[in-house]
């Protein structure tokens, strides 16, 4: 499920982490594959993102990406679905 943290389980995977400072979240996502594009859902800090509808790219792409919501039981989570090219 989206609530589960996963350690990398392959040599060519996505690495994603975030940092929160002063009620702002920065998410870093990297595709380590040199040949394969990858798509993944990355969980966000819901207390910061629950009222936001997008995140803005700072590097690697232009524009923004929608913040999506999912409800599991009575708990709401925020996430982005990202597609990255090899080494992006």
């Amino acid at each position: 499920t989206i609530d589960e943290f996963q350690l990398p389980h392959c040599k060519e995977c996505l690495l994603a982490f975030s940092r929160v400072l002063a009620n702002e979240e920065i998410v870093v996502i990297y595709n380590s594959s040199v040949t394969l594009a990858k798509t993944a859902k990355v969980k966000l800090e819901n207390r910061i993102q629950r009222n936001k509808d997008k995140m803005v790219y700072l590097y690697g792409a232009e524009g923004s990406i929608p913040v999506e919501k999912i409800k599991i039981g009575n708990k709401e989570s925020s996430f982005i679905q990202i597609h990255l090219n090899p080494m992006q």
Side-chain angles (χ1 to χ4, degrees):
T1 69
I2 197 163
D3 279 342
E4 296 175 0
F5 172 78
Q6 296 179 359
L7 292 171
H9 52 80
C10 64
K11 290 182 182 179
E12 296 184 337
C13 59
L14 288 178
L15 171 66
F17 63 93
S18 74
R19 291 295 177 260
V20 175
L21 180 62
N23 242 6
E24 293 288 330
E25 181 176 27
I26 293 182
V27 180
V28 177
I29 308 167
Y30 176 67
N31 179 4
S32 66
S33 175
V34 296
T35 58
L36 300 173
K38 304 230 178 211
T39 299
K41 294 177 181 174
V42 177
K43 186 176 179 189
L44 304 172
E45 181 61 49
N46 194 55
R47 69 180 173 81
I48 294 173
Q49 303 299 339
R50 75 173 141 240
N51 295 323
K52 297 183 180 172
D53 61 350
K54 66 181 178 180
M55 292 190 83
V56 176
Y57 287 104
L58 298 177
Y59 184 80
E62 294 183 7
S64 62
I65 187 168
V67 173
E68 300 181 51
K69 312 290 189 236
I70 187 171
K71 193 162 189 170
I72 301 171
N74 62 353
K75 184 178 177 185
E76 183 179 78
S77 292
S78 300
F79 68 95
I80 53 174
Q81 183 164 323
I82 187 118
H83 178 83
L84 295 175
N85 292 318
M87 304 294 289
Q88 182 182 12

